[in-house]
Amino acid sequence: METNDSLAGRTALVTGASKGIGRAIALAYGQAGAQVGVTGRNEGELESLAAEIRDLGGRCQVVVADLAESDAERRVFEAVTSTLGDVDILVNNAGIGSSANPKPVAEYDDDFWDRMMFVNLTVPYRLCRRVLPAMLAAGWGRIINISSINGKIGALHGAAYAASKHGLLGLTRTLAMEVTARGVTANAICPGPVATALNDARIAYDAQRLGRPVAEVERGLTLIGRRLQAEEVVPLALYLAGDASAAMTGQALNIDGGIVMTG
Ligand code: NAP
């Protein structure tokens, strides 16, 4: 694997880095020369990612944490900053998917709503709040929130997911208004269906609901006739983390195989 130094000297924190989109982004940041703090619940997967980053000559710190626990984001922040220093690039990626506990709103489950909103929206807000003082003091920072096209359109039987991802865009846009003049940008990436464990569950749910084969449902989802690969989100995440994106802020960028064509 080729390496470059476009993020040399930077420290990144990527949540939900054990698998899927977060793993691909964390690996790419390590490859680009950043020190990377990675967190998730699955220690084995995180350690295997860390080993890959170290094999590239990079520095990586693993913090195992369940972000559904009320104090976990503080522990993650303190563990990463005490070892790697201030965070320059925050990627709020960890999330519960739209087909976890799918139900129409009329039959929704309050506890599940609260957990989804906490992991998908409150934890990103809290991590932003924790990393911002150092970013503002340094006059440089990058906040990248992994929202979804469901931050712009509904998710059938996934109201908490859609609400949390819409909320993440409100957080992103407001942050951009508050911090951009001081060298910190805030942007959101809005992926369409990406072939990960989280989206496997969504497709299986839709296929079962519609009584159609999974492969047929998948082909019909996007204009490209397939789901995205996690690696296809990486170039955008690299761009938003670097110096070249200084003029890009407050944006919610779709990368979705052509599903959502408006804003
Ligand atoms: P994934 O492969 O299933 O990965 C999800 C990640 O989130 C894992 O690293 C998981 O960690 C972590 N996570 C979930 N709950 C957590 C918790 N309570 N505490 C700590 N970590 C937790 O899914 P993905 O598709 O890459 O999803 C990443 C992000 O992209 C999510 O925010 C998702 O909403 C968003 N997204 C995905 C798609 C898609 O189609 N795949 C589309 C739009 C947006 P462990 O497994 O280690 O617990």
Side-chain angles (χ1 to χ4, degrees):
M1 186 181 285
E2 281 180 33
T3 56
N4 66 65
D5 62 357
S6 60
L7 298 182
R10 303 292 185 201
T11 298
L13 168 57
V14 182
T15 69
S18 53
K19 51 175 70 71
I21 296 169
R23 187 187 203 282
I25 292 174
L27 183 59
Y29 284 2
Q31 200 182 346
Q35 314 190 87
V36 198
V38 296
T39 188
R41 290 170 298 190
N42 188 315
E43 186 169 9
E45 289 176 340
L46 290 170
E47 288 298 349
S48 117
L49 167 65
E52 263 191 73
I53 291 175
R54 289 174 195 136
D55 283 349
L56 295 165
R59 191 159 178 221
C60 180
Q61 191 199 0
V62 167
V63 187
V64 178
D66 181 350
L67 291 172
E69 290 173 4
S70 66
D71 205 30
E73 116 286 333
R74 181 187 57 77
R75 281 196 302 105
V76 169
F77 171 78
E78 286 177 359
V80 169
T81 51
S82 64
T83 308
L84 301 181
D86 291 335
V87 173
D88 304 300
I89 302 160
L90 170 65
V91 182
N92 278 312
N93 166 79
I96 303 173
S98 64
S99 62
N101 200 20
K103 284 189 172 102
V105 172
E107 296 160 24
Y108 224 72
D109 168 342
D110 290 350
D111 289 344
F112 181 74
W113 172 278
D114 289 345
R115 189 160 67 253
M116 176 83 89
M117 296 305 276
F118 188 78
V119 172
N120 287 16
L121 182 57
T122 303
V123 165
Y125 145 70
R126 288 190 185 180
L127 282 172
C128 288
R129 193 163 57 79
R130 291 195 181 278
V131 300
L132 274 168
M135 289 182 178
L136 294 170
W140 197 96
R142 297 285 183 265
I143 290 176
I144 301 163
N145 292 324
I146 308 300
S147 177
S148 166
I149 54 170
N150 296 122
K152 298 181 175 181
I153 59 176
L156 189 73
H157 300 167
Y161 185 76
S164 69
K165 295 298 186 180
H166 276 70
L168 207 44
L169 298 190
L171 172 68
T172 306
R173 290 166 173 150
T174 302
L175 258 182
M177 294 170 75
E178 294 174 356
V179 300
T180 301
R182 296 175 67 186
V184 180
T185 65
N187 290 286
I189 296 177
C190 298
V194 181
T196 65
L198 179 146
N199 192 256
D200 286 348
R202 177 76 221 187
I203 289 219
Y205 177 68
D206 285 336
Q208 195 250 339
R209 184 173 58 79
L210 299 167
R212 289 164 52 199
V214 166
E216 188 186 308
V217 170
E218 176 167 0
R219 269 197 307 277
L221 284 174
T222 62
L223 297 184
I224 56 177
R226 61 171 175 81
R227 291 185 286 172
L228 283 77
Q229 294 300 312
E231 289 68 26
E232 292 179 296
V233 180
V234 163
L236 186 51
L238 273 172
Y239 168 68
L240 292 176
D243 285 322
S245 61
M248 172 78 72
T249 192
Q251 301 305 306
L253 302 159
N254 304 338
I255 176 159
D256 66 353
I259 298 177
V260 177
M261 296 191 186
T262 54

